Amino acid sequence: MKRILILMCFFASVAISAQITSATNGDWNTGTTWVGGVVPTITNDVIINHEVTVEKSGVGANAKSLTLGGSPARLVVRENTKVTVTGNISLTRSVDAMIFYGQQVSGKLGTLIFGGTYTASKRTQIRKRLTDSKWHLIGNPFNNNRVDWTTEHVSTKLRDNGTVLSLASYDDSNASGSKYTYYTNVIPLGSGPKFGTAQGYSISVSAPDAKDDFILQGEMHNGSVSYTLSTGGNGFNLLGNPYVSYLHANDAADATNNILRVNGSNGSNILAEDTIWLWDGDNDTWITKNLGDASFRIAPVQGFFVKASSASAFSFTKSMESHDETDAFLKSSDNRFEVDLSVAIGKKKTSTSVRYINNTTTDFDNGYDSSIFGGYASTLEIYTNLVAGNSAKKLAIQSLPNSDYENLVVPVGVTAEANSEITFTVDAKNVPTGYKVFLEDRLNNTFTRLDEANAEYKATVTNKSTDGRFYLHTRSAALSTDNIGLGGVSIYTINKNTLRVAGVNGANATVKVFSILGQKVLETTFSSTGVS
């Protein structure tokens, strides 16, 4: 009898550890930095006990969770890179366990997006460089961070006039000229006020060694963040990006999770306009963004203005976060017809935009039309008025129907010092075949084509306001004063006793007013050079 021996082998499965620990100081994306020589991925729990650097403009860093031990453990995130942690972040080192650098004026601050909780206290630091002696708007990306951690830090190069520092909060309910409140130079280390959560600030830095830096440090936000808006004054509020990441700002960036969609007329409806205003400190001009713009995201540590319609909570959510970069001051457009009209005095220049978009109207379209910033006056402004609606609203962006161009005469206004010479230029994108862009000057009875290379128009403004003088035309043929008629003329009330007529230039203008029953109640003749 034969016996058959059956050997049964059981192999115990050995779980491969998903944990990776640093072995030495070094680059995150170099194998020798880690025990086992394997660079961490999004599936790994990462423990850092050394100084590990995510190098600038590199491939970034990914982890399932991130734990930093005590000193010398540190994560350094250089410019133009990104870190993603799907789970929790835990820091033990007493200060500066994570440092984000933006110490090149042209370099974008590194970003971090995490999906879990942040456990630490005053352990993340941002070092940012700005253009020397220019004013900028910045945001507070942290929770529970004191002002003196910035003002008293040896690397912060604030300007100091002997009484106050070049760092200020904004309150629109204050009197004109006093809307910014500056921090003093006597804030002692270890005490003093805290920065407001998601609040924005004005800042200017300067240093003889050209290292024009400022420091922010505090705790990262685990989840959603809100800022209670004020309707005081004109309702303008200075906010700041509360995350160390980019934020979707309009529909082209993310159709659902963007700050204008969530807080504007299509969401909580707490904004007077679905618009963001940013200050371009390098070029001393306002940048206006709305839902009609190409994809736009707010940069980390960026401050911006919104206008409130109610004293409610403005919401920021983690789902708005993105690593995708958008230069806060880079204008962009798709293939639509768009005219950017600029005015300059010397080196100072600012612009207004007219966009031709399907399904918009000649009246005010919230989210596609945007006023110029009105929190305080600028020395040089250019704007357009509504083509229809008889409104004196001053627009930085006006969106019009993408048809019937010849009948869309756009009033253009300029605010400048009286008796100054201004220069108009145009950047016209995707002009329809056969059409040309002209600027009309009704005071001088001239039409100047501006959509050609190097074209410009110079004029002297005798008054601070030019309302009723300049008009933008899109035409298929040359223009003259004989074929304009009353195009662009606006007639509207500014109070119950005053009727305003803009755009009529001549010595023999006549206005007649009739009641709804057809009875003439007023007839008068007047001479006008723009506005009467």
Side-chain angles (χ1 to χ4, degrees):
M1 181 177 180
K2 295 182 179 179
R3 294 184 180 180
I4 300 174
L5 180 62
I6 299 176
L7 298 177
M8 301 183 66
C9 298
F10 296 91
F11 296 94
S13 61
V14 179
I16 300 175
S17 175
Q19 180 176 293
I20 294 181
T21 304
S22 66
T24 185
N25 296 345
D27 178 4
W28 179 292
N29 288 291
T30 300
T32 56
T33 303
W34 307 100
V35 174
V38 177
V39 175
T41 70
I42 206 72
T43 64
N44 298 122
D45 296 305
V46 177
I47 298 174
I48 295 177
N49 294 316
H50 303 80
E51 183 165 309
V52 176
T53 302
V54 184
E55 294 294 347
K56 60 185 178 183
S57 303
V59 296
N62 298 288
K64 180 180 178 182
S65 67
L66 181 63
T67 302
L68 274 75
S71 182
R74 173 178 284 162
L75 178 65
V76 177
V77 182
R78 302 296 306 188
E79 295 90 347
N80 304 320
T81 192
K82 55 192 177 184
V83 178
T84 301
V85 180
T86 59
N88 300 331
I89 295 176
S90 178
L91 313 179
T92 302
R93 179 170 174 151
S94 58
V95 292
D96 310 338
M98 291 196 298
I99 302 179
F100 291 79
Y101 282 95
Q103 291 189 287
Q104 302 169 333
V105 172
S106 59
K108 298 179 178 68
L109 191 75
T111 56
L112 169 67
I113 296 177
F114 67 101
T117 59
Y118 175 91
T119 305
S121 176
K122 191 208 166 187
R123 292 191 173 92
T124 295
Q125 182 184 102
I126 289 174
R127 294 171 177 253
K128 177 64 178 170
R129 183 162 297 168
L130 298 173
T131 305
D132 179 73
S133 300
K134 295 281 191 177
W135 285 99
H136 301 269
L137 299 182
I138 64 169
N140 168 30
F142 295 132
N143 179 44
N144 197 34
N145 55 324
R146 293 203 311 262
V147 173
D148 64 277
W149 290 348
T150 293
T151 58
E152 299 299 313
H153 197 285
V154 66
S155 295
T156 295
K157 308 296 183 181
L158 295 173
R159 296 158 69 186
D160 184 347
N161 71 356
T163 303
V164 296
L165 300 172
S166 55
L167 176 67
S169 59
Y170 181 87
D171 186 346
D172 203 31
S173 64
N174 292 340
S176 177
S178 301
K179 294 183 182 296
Y180 283 106
T181 300
Y182 296 88
Y183 290 99
T184 68
N185 56 3
V186 294
I187 299 175
L189 187 64
S191 63
K194 294 179 180 180
F195 285 114
T197 298
Q199 188 170 346
Y201 297 86
S202 178
I203 192 171
S204 181
V205 293
S206 180
D209 59 3
K211 294 180 179 178
D212 308 295
D213 300 341
F214 71 94
I215 304 297
L216 289 169
Q217 47 194 357
E219 306 168 19
M220 289 192 175
H221 296 287
N222 291 325
S224 297
V225 179
S226 64
Y227 179 90
T228 301
L229 299 177
S230 168
T231 56
N234 295 311
F236 287 97
N237 290 253
L238 179 52
L239 278 59
N241 184 345
Y243 303 117
V244 189
S245 64
Y246 288 84
L247 284 181
H248 299 308
N250 65 357
D251 285 354
D254 186 285
T256 304
N257 298 305
N258 70 77
I259 62 174
L260 288 178
R261 178 64 56 179
V262 170
N263 297 285
S265 58
N266 294 294
S268 59
N269 198 26
I270 62 174
L271 299 180
E273 291 188 24
D274 294 353
T275 299
I276 297 167
W277 292 272
L278 305 106
W279 175 247
D280 180 353
D282 291 335
N283 296 299
D284 295 330
T285 189
W286 288 102
I287 301 296
T288 307
K289 296 291 184 181
N290 63 22
L291 290 174
D293 273 287
S295 179
F296 178 70
R297 298 174 181 87
I298 296 175
V301 199
Q302 175 69 59
F304 60 96
F305 277 95
V306 297
K307 187 175 183 179
S309 62
S310 66
S312 303
F314 188 97
S315 297
F316 301 90
T317 66
K318 297 283 284 182
S319 57
M320 297 176 183
E321 288 190 285
S322 173
H323 286 305
D324 293 337
E325 299 174 0
T326 302
D327 189 331
F329 312 122
L330 176 65
K331 290 188 175 183
S332 58
S333 177
D334 54 19
N335 59 358
R336 69 185 172 212
F337 176 26
E338 180 174 338
V339 177
D340 292 333
L341 177 64
S342 298
V343 66
I345 297 179
K347 294 183 178 180
K348 188 173 180 62
K349 184 177 182 180
T350 188
S351 64
T352 187
S353 180
V354 179
R355 302 164 180 176
Y356 299 86
I357 303 174
N358 292 332
N359 301 318
T360 59
T361 71
T362 55
D363 209 331
F364 187 80
D365 299 304
N366 192 17
Y368 294 87
D369 294 324
S370 295
S371 301
I372 62 174
F373 180 70
Y376 44 88
S378 299
T379 57
L380 179 63
E381 296 173 334
I382 184 171
Y383 52 87
T384 64
N385 298 119
L386 289 171
V387 170
N390 294 335
S391 170
K393 189 181 286 289
K394 298 178 178 180
L395 301 178
I397 300 172
Q398 182 168 185
S399 297
L400 294 170
N402 192 27
S403 61
D404 198 24
Y405 307 120
E406 302 205 14
N407 291 319
L408 300 176
V409 181
V410 183
V412 176
V414 175
T415 302
E417 293 296 329
N419 301 314
S420 57
E421 183 181 68
I422 60 177
T423 302
F424 289 98
T425 56
V426 154
D427 178 13
K429 306 177 182 70
N430 307 301
V431 180
T433 302
Y435 285 88
K436 306 173 182 65
V437 178
F438 297 88
L439 182 71
E440 177 190 5
D441 183 344
R442 292 193 178 175
L443 181 62
N444 293 331
N445 292 322
T446 62
F447 292 86
T448 304
R449 184 180 175 186
L450 290 181
D451 61 318
E452 299 176 294
N454 303 316
E456 62 180 29
Y457 178 69
K458 293 181 182 292
T460 299
V461 292
T462 55
N463 300 310
K464 187 174 181 180
S465 175
T466 68
D467 288 352
R469 176 175 176 179
F470 299 109
Y471 291 83
L472 193 68
H473 299 260
T474 299
R475 290 275 172 162
S476 59
L479 285 167
S480 71
T481 54
D482 296 330
N483 57 17
I484 291 304
L486 293 178
V489 171
S490 296
I491 303 173
Y492 52 94
T493 57
I494 57 175
N495 56 52
K496 66 180 182 179
N497 297 316
T498 306
L499 185 72
R500 189 178 191 190
V501 181
V504 175
N505 286 303
N508 297 306
T510 301
V511 61
K512 300 178 182 179
V513 179
F514 295 84
S515 73
I516 59 174
L517 299 178
Q519 180 182 7
K520 184 167 64 176
V521 296
L522 172 69
E523 179 177 355
T524 185
T525 300
F526 61 97
S527 59
S528 175
T529 57
V531 176
S532 296

